[in-house]
């Protein structure tokens, strides 16, 4: 789930969901690419001076080059709706629903892993590949 202190993560979530809305079979490949290239796409060291629009363009371009999804169609899903002063975009409500579902179930950070409905609280985002393999 995107965290409020990391805006680029929310933008990546919105663009990921936009890919799913535009071309569902390409969703997982776009997500995988975002994770693999996160240092170049969403880390503060590269995003701090970018505007929200620039972030959407960067992420939509990355999704398009990695999966072949239609960049213009993806950007259309994350454009400002202009229906009210704080309308956001078409994907924003979906992100809110996913975050609300997670918070209702006690999920506040990633990764949060459940096995057979029971949270495995020892798993950490700082784990090495060897630890994940165990």
């Amino acid at each position: 789930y995107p965290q409020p202190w990391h805006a680029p993560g929310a933008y990546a979530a919105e663009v990921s969901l936009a890919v799913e809305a535009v071309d569902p079979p390409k969703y997982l490949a776009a997500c995988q690419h975002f994770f693999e290239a996160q240092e170049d796409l969403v880390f503060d060291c590269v995003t701090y001076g970018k505007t929200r629009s620039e972030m959407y363009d960067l992420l939509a371009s990355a999704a398009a080059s990695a999966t072949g999804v239609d960049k213009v169609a993806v950007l259309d899903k994350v454009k400002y709706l202009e229906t009210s002063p704080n309308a956001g975009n078409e994907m924003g409500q979906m992100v809110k629903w996913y975050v609300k579902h997670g918070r209702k179930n006690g999920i506040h950070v990633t990764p949060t892993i459940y096995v057979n409905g029971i949270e495995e609280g020892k798993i950490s985002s700082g784990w090495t590949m060897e630890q994940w393999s165990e």
Side-chain angles (χ1 to χ4, degrees):
Y1 299 107
Q3 301 300 321
W5 55 85
H6 186 62
Y11 304 150
E14 289 175 333
V15 172
S16 297
L17 291 170
V19 169
E20 183 179 38
V22 169
D23 198 342
K26 295 179 178 170
Y27 169 74
L28 290 178
C31 291
Q32 181 175 350
H33 178 67
F34 286 176
F35 279 112
E36 290 171 353
Q38 63 183 310
E39 192 169 335
D40 298 322
L41 295 174
V42 297
F43 276 23
D44 288 342
C45 58
V46 294
T47 65
Y48 206 78
K50 293 188 184 310
T51 67
R52 187 174 185 174
S53 293
E54 289 170 336
M55 284 300 306
Y56 288 143
D57 189 68
L58 172 70
L59 293 163
S61 293
S65 67
T67 69
V69 69
D70 182 344
K71 175 185 171 182
V72 174
V74 169
L75 285 172
D76 189 54
K77 296 286 184 187
V78 294
K79 72 179 180 191
Y80 173 57
L81 291 176
E82 298 184 24
T83 55
S84 74
N86 203 29
N89 62 55
E90 192 176 329
M91 298 295 100
Q93 185 59 56
M94 290 185 73
V95 171
K96 290 176 187 177
W97 287 331
Y98 284 119
V99 170
K100 183 177 182 179
H101 173 78
R103 288 182 179 164
K104 249 178 84 175
N105 290 293
I107 300 170
H108 299 286
V109 295
T110 57
T112 300
I113 307 296
Y114 283 81
V115 178
N116 296 327
I118 300 170
E119 181 180 355
E120 176 49 73
K122 294 179 185 174
I123 295 174
S124 167
S125 62
W127 274 19
T128 64
M129 287 301 292
E130 291 78 28
Q131 288 172 300
W132 279 104
S133 298
E134 289 175 14

